[in-house]
Amino acid sequence: MTQPQCRVIEAAGTNAHRLASGPGGWVERLGDDVIVSYKSDGARDEMMAGLDAWCMKAEWRPARIFHRFMPIKNADRICPVLHSGDAALPLTTVVTEAGIRYGLDIGASYSHGLFLDQRLNRAKLQALKPKRVLNTFAYTCSFSVVAALAGAETVSVDLSRKSLDRGRENLKLNGIDESIHRFIADDTLEVLAQQAGKGERFDAIVLDPPTFSRSKSGRRWQVEDHFEDLLNAALEVAAPKCAILLSTNCTKLDPATLERRARWCAKIKRRAAEYMGLGAPVDFPAGHGASTLWMMVR
């Protein structure tokens, strides 16, 4: 990414963004730190050289640089490893996006806690000013944070109680009273069925499922096979004029495929909808980041 583009992003109160992306990996700035994610030693060395040149031109140096190997098999993933900087500094840190604070934990898992490619979608949800938001596969609840700041009541669902606890901390970081926000550690499809049975309705729903997972009962989830099941269940709790964010990292589901499948679900449920894609943030070139689409249900 160019220096002028970085200055525009950072002037908007954002210090967590991509610095570079390529076929061999990418470089992310996370506040005072940098993570270099690489697929091979050669790619790592090339990105490190590029980072050094970029920092020299920008007259900025990260406090720490972490390396994160990107293996072919997910089972081989490991946490980022410190390459340079003070090893005594805590692995937890706070970054900002449009002035909103998010806590990260570089050492907690393979993902630090904030999906940077969702920046435009978080801004869109906040601008919609929804009243009730259902955030499924919520992870550390970044969408719940922006919705809450816009005045919404939120329900955040994730199988991981630890991730939801981090979500609670993100609300606290932004001075949000937790009393009207619920956190449910359970399977999303089961929660959707429960909410529909109770007659609950939401005017914004976030659907950002993993590509593959297993439920508490061991049931296999594959987004390319079960996407329609998820969206059909979500439409049961979608209020009139509900905005539904469809998002996936599955390479087989590009925005055009997402729209085609969403149209089929809308037809089954007899719901009219319009479809809107926001594209990717400027720091995410084509082929990088999630495929996303807004389904505006009427």
Side-chain angles (χ1 to χ4, degrees):
M1 188 169 59
T2 66
Q3 299 283 343
Q5 288 172 328
C6 284
R7 285 194 288 270
V8 169
I9 290 174
E10 291 166 8
T14 298
N15 65 6
H17 54 82
R18 283 278 179 97
L19 293 177
S21 300
W26 54 84
V27 182
E28 294 176 337
R29 177 183 178 182
L30 303 173
D32 294 330
D33 300 315
V34 164
I35 295 183
V36 178
S37 301
Y38 64 96
K39 298 178 182 179
S40 68
D41 290 350
R44 177 199 62 204
D45 295 343
E46 182 179 353
M47 287 188 289
M48 284 296 294
L51 174 63
D52 186 62
W54 190 93
C55 289
M56 186 175 297
K57 186 175 181 180
E59 298 182 342
W60 175 79
R61 287 285 168 184
R64 296 175 295 183
I65 298 175
F66 293 86
H67 286 171
R68 183 176 69 161
F69 177 55
M70 306 286 290
I72 296 175
K73 295 181 179 179
N74 289 349
D76 296 332
R77 290 179 172 182
I78 61 173
C79 297
V81 176
L82 181 66
H83 168 73
S84 64
D86 188 352
L89 291 174
L91 292 176
T92 54
T93 187
V94 175
V95 299
T96 60
E97 181 181 276
I100 300 170
R101 291 159 59 84
Y102 299 98
L104 306 187
D105 190 340
I106 296 170
S109 66
Y110 190 68
S111 298
H112 48 64
L114 183 67
F115 296 125
L116 306 184
D117 56 342
Q118 296 287 2
R119 186 167 69 242
L120 299 183
N121 290 316
R122 282 188 283 268
K124 174 66 175 178
L125 180 62
Q126 188 174 20
L128 287 171
K129 298 185 183 302
K131 301 295 184 183
R132 301 193 74 222
V133 174
L134 178 61
N135 184 11
T136 69
F137 308 97
Y139 190 35
T140 57
C141 307
S142 62
F143 281 103
S144 302
V145 170
V146 295
L149 288 171
E153 170 190 342
T154 70
V155 178
S156 302
V157 183
D158 198 280
L159 274 174
S160 170
R161 192 175 300 277
K162 185 175 181 179
S163 292
L164 294 178
D165 287 342
R166 291 175 66 187
R168 284 189 172 92
E169 290 301 316
N170 278 331
L171 264 66
K172 291 177 183 176
L173 275 174
N174 292 282
I176 299 168
D177 183 355
E178 191 185 315
S179 61
I180 62 169
H181 304 286
R182 288 188 287 157
F183 302 84
I184 303 174
D186 206 343
D187 178 82
T188 288
L189 285 172
E190 292 183 9
V191 172
L192 285 170
Q194 293 165 3
Q195 297 295 305
K198 295 176 181 177
E200 298 280 4
R201 296 294 180 267
F202 301 88
D203 56 356
I205 301 172
V206 177
L207 301 178
D208 186 15
T211 301
F212 174 83
S213 68
R214 288 191 182 276
S215 67
K216 288 182 177 179
S217 63
R219 183 177 58 195
R220 174 181 169 275
W221 160 268
Q222 190 83 30
V223 67
E224 63 186 279
D225 297 331
H226 302 115
F227 172 79
E228 286 89 345
D229 295 338
L230 175 64
L231 181 51
N232 282 334
L235 286 169
E236 291 294 324
V237 297
K241 298 184 179 180
C242 178
I244 304 178
L245 173 62
L246 311 176
S247 177
T248 178
N249 284 302
C250 178
T251 56
K252 295 180 180 180
L253 297 179
D254 59 16
T257 304
L258 281 176
E259 181 174 340
R260 184 169 63 253
R261 293 197 179 189
R263 286 182 180 277
W264 177 250
C265 292
K267 183 178 181 180
I268 291 173
K269 294 296 180 180
R270 298 183 179 180
R271 303 291 295 268
E274 296 177 352
Y275 302 88
M276 176 194 315
L278 301 183
V282 66
D283 46 327
F284 281 80
H288 290 261
S291 295
T292 64
L293 182 73
W294 283 93
M295 180 181 185
M296 314 302 285
V297 182
R298 296 198 296 272

